[in-house]
Amino acid sequence: MKSSESKKHKILIANRGEIAIRIMQACRKLGLDFVALFTEPDRHSEHCVLARNLGGEDSLYRVSAYLDANEIFAVADHSGATAIHPGYGFFAEDYRFARRVAQREHKLIFIGPSWQVIRELGDKINTKRLARKLGVPTVPGSDRPVTDDLEAEDIARSLFAFQKEQGVNNPVILVKASAGGGGMGIEEVDDPDKFRSVLRRIKNYAKRQFRDEGVLIEQRIFDFNHLEVQVLADRTGQNPVHFGTRNCSVQSLGRQKRIEVAPGFDPSSLRYAFDAKKVLEDITEYSLRMAREAGYDNVGTWEWIVSPTGQPFLMEVNTRIQVENGVSARIASIKGRGDVDLIAEQIRVGLGAPLGYAQQDIRLGGVGIEYRIIAEDPDNRFAPWVGRITSFDWPEQPWLTVHTQVPRDREYEIPTDFDPNLALAIIWGKDLDEARARGQEFLDTLTLAGENAGGEPLKSNIAFLKRKTEKILVF
């Protein structure tokens, strides 16, 4: 690691849009060179403008696709890059890509967890087994594929009984094809007498589609809050720290996050039906326990669901930087210094530097809100809107940070190749009331206009964000 720390690095940014911009800014903060990518639909993105402004024409390469690994490696070799930052999405949680980065003839550094960690914790069954081994609560149900019908029925009966004990009037369980993914091979069961027929149907489907008839059986949890714990560790994997919790319960119909709030609950100003402070303490301790056991060695997020009775269940681990890292950084300070940049920290430790601080050096203060501003129609099942942004601006405020690839000084055609995410706005307040008031002020003073090819006005989620702001952190 020492040799890696001492050499001058150049980071290839294998992503686009606002995350590419934030990685460039982090590289500049650390005194590192970078090289960025773009595809034809992104030629007018601000990430291309910033790359040229900071690094000149030689810092920007056109590729045919962000998911073409061979092209990415060709750019890395041609540009003299020594490391690859995948951002989020694309290759960020692909352990095969991370392994190739580390093992190819011209070795590079993958700015993220090691490929072994990504493989281990990217597998939900492995994650569940590790959690249970360490006494970390997980969604009740099987932690391995079940093929025996009698065993499956026993698990189902126990889950129905467990929910009844929790006061759930209409218990539901999920039967999933263990080899499935992307929502394939999943069915709900709300009647124990129907379980056997559903099990048979899912097993037959799994065998036909995946050549594996194993199933997972889990409790279906309703009316939960979605919380996260932000974790960071250096390459030793021995000293992980956390940067608090986030609440990501304001989502679209497809469970896509729209507002994130740090911390995850606010018992100082809101009443909860459970000990919210203890829940936050428990999930951070559980997350660090697992990170230490797994030898976690970069940035990552432990995702939790919390039931209405205050029971936390680990859902999964995201082995990457997340969109909402900035709202956790906004409420944090390290050794008394604010303006924490978790992407810069990720890059620094990813290149081999020691963490340099412990949990007691991290302080959390105030409340942060992150809005995802998206061209979509929340009243039409959040359907994406396609067209041109003709005006996009906002008043600058000391409590506001906006990350965006959309220009403020010219029109911008939203690329149809990607989700129509326009910006992330991060607001800070000394308490929940102030953060909410500032959030509403930002949304009220934001200028956002556009039209599609038919001359119809832009549709966005601004009104949806305004409605949801009043109830932030209310369970």
Side-chain angles (χ1 to χ4, degrees):
M1 287 298 177
K2 288 183 179 178
S3 61
S4 176
E5 290 175 53
S6 62
K7 67 187 292 187
K8 177 72 171 179
H9 283 285
K10 177 183 281 189
I11 311 296
L12 188 154
I13 303 168
N15 217 296
R16 62 180 293 276
E18 55 83 16
I19 187 61
I21 290 173
R22 292 155 81 183
I23 297 169
M24 289 176 210
Q25 292 168 337
C27 287
R28 176 54 61 95
K29 188 179 297 185
L30 294 170
L32 301 171
D33 294 330
F34 68 83
V35 57
L37 308 175
F38 77 101
T39 61
E40 177 61 21
D42 267 337
R43 67 188 182 280
H44 299 306
S45 170
E46 281 293 284
H47 91 262
C48 296
V49 174
L50 185 65
R52 292 189 182 100
N53 288 344
L54 294 182
E57 289 294 334
D58 291 342
S59 70
L60 189 62
Y61 285 75
R62 177 176 165 176
V63 294
S64 60
Y66 294 108
L67 279 170
D68 189 323
N70 290 330
E71 264 195 293
I72 289 172
F73 289 127
V75 171
D77 293 339
H78 186 268
S79 65
T82 60
I84 292 181
H85 195 309
Y88 52 73
F90 297 146
F91 288 115
E93 293 180 282
D94 186 333
Y95 81 84
R96 294 176 180 86
F97 179 82
R99 180 173 61 191
R100 188 173 170 189
V101 169
Q103 294 184 351
R104 63 196 295 268
E105 184 178 351
H106 298 291
K107 289 182 174 59
L108 297 161
I109 297 171
F110 184 79
I111 304 297
S114 64
W115 66 264
Q116 296 95 330
V117 166
I118 296 174
R119 182 178 64 178
E120 181 70 17
L121 294 180
D123 183 312
K124 290 181 174 60
I125 294 175
N126 285 344
T127 300
K128 199 169 191 179
R129 287 175 181 163
L130 176 63
R132 290 186 172 179
K133 169 187 166 186
L134 298 174
V136 174
T138 63
V139 177
S142 55
D143 61 0
R144 60 179 176 79
V146 177
T147 56
D148 183 82
D149 288 4
L150 292 177
E151 182 184 3
E153 290 180 33
D154 284 343
I155 294 171
R157 274 194 299 270
S158 68
L159 289 177
F160 278 118
F162 176 76
Q163 291 180 74
K164 285 288 189 184
E165 292 168 7
Q166 298 299 309
V168 178
N169 293 324
N170 300 298
V172 177
I173 64 172
L174 299 176
V175 183
K176 305 178 180 180
S178 62
M184 297 171 62
I186 302 177
E187 197 165 333
E188 292 186 357
V189 184
D190 59 5
D191 182 347
D193 293 334
K194 296 178 182 177
F195 175 77
R196 189 173 295 181
S197 62
V198 172
L199 175 66
R200 188 179 306 116
R201 187 159 56 245
I202 294 295
K203 286 180 68 174
N204 289 339
Y205 172 86
K207 189 173 184 179
R208 186 171 64 251
Q209 293 291 327
F210 311 118
R211 297 189 297 277
D212 181 348
E213 63 178 11
V215 299
L216 298 174
I217 304 159
E218 291 184 341
Q219 176 179 330
R220 169 82 155 87
I221 297 175
F222 294 93
D223 301 324
F224 59 82
N225 263 214
H226 181 169
L227 269 67
E228 299 177 342
V229 177
Q230 179 67 68
V231 171
L232 178 69
D234 61 27
R235 290 301 190 194
T236 67
Q238 298 302 306
N239 56 351
V241 297
H242 73 82
F243 285 83
T245 59
R246 299 185 287 258
N247 192 310
C248 307
S249 299
V250 178
Q251 302 179 353
S252 70
L253 296 178
R255 294 294 181 195
Q256 299 298 308
K257 302 164 190 170
R258 292 298 181 264
I259 301 177
E260 293 98 359
V261 190
F265 291 132
D266 185 16
S268 66
S269 63
L270 297 173
R271 293 176 66 89
Y272 295 92
F274 50 85
D275 188 341
K277 182 173 181 290
K278 183 177 186 303
V279 172
L280 298 182
E281 290 171 351
D282 285 348
I283 64 174
T284 51
E285 194 281 322
Y286 288 142
S287 300
L288 292 180
R289 187 187 303 178
M290 286 185 68
R292 282 189 291 268
E293 181 71 15
Y296 204 86
D297 61 348
N298 201 248
V299 72
T301 298
W302 267 247
E303 299 220 11
W304 297 84
I305 55 178
V306 178
S307 75
T309 56
Q311 290 181 297
F313 302 107
L314 179 69
M315 190 162 53
E316 62 184 357
V317 178
N318 292 144
T319 55
R320 55 172 166 81
I321 197 74
Q322 282 194 275
V323 178
E324 58 269 27
N325 77 86
V327 75
S328 292
R330 188 65 184 83
I331 67 167
S333 64
I334 301 173
K335 295 183 177 179
R337 297 189 302 274
D339 193 26
V340 174
D341 185 338
L342 283 173
I343 297 176
E345 290 299 288
Q346 178 195 21
I347 294 170
R348 190 177 63 81
V349 299
L351 294 176
L355 193 59
Y357 46 88
Q359 191 66 56
Q360 60 264 29
D361 298 317
I362 300 171
R363 292 286 181 269
L364 305 174
V367 174
I369 301 172
E370 179 172 286
Y371 294 116
R372 300 194 190 196
I373 299 168
I374 302 173
E376 63 182 3
D377 184 0
D379 296 326
N380 183 26
R381 303 185 64 82
F382 293 87
W385 182 87
V386 177
R388 175 178 296 145
I389 303 296
T390 56
S391 180
F392 187 43
D393 205 1
W394 57 89
E396 299 291 344
Q397 301 284 0
W399 41 261
L400 170 68
T401 303
V402 179
H403 300 292
T404 182
Q405 74 279 6
V406 180
R408 298 170 73 176
D409 58 353
R410 64 184 188 280
E411 295 186 351
Y412 176 76
E413 196 76 33
I414 301 174
T416 58
D417 301 55
F418 314 104
D419 291 337
N421 300 311
L422 303 181
L424 302 173
I426 300 173
I427 285 91
W428 181 87
K430 66 179 182 297
D431 54 31
L432 181 58
D433 284 344
E434 184 173 71
R436 276 195 305 230
R438 287 174 170 178
Q440 291 285 16
E441 179 182 341
F442 165 73
L443 294 172
D444 287 339
T445 56
L446 175 69
T447 300
L448 175 58
E451 61 181 30
N452 63 17
E456 298 167 321
L458 173 143
K459 291 186 180 296
S460 77
N461 65 342
I462 299 300
F464 171 82
L465 298 177
K466 288 180 183 179
R467 288 197 305 271
K468 293 296 183 180
T469 296
E470 276 306 308
K471 295 295 185 180
I472 279 173
L473 297 188
V474 175
F475 201 133

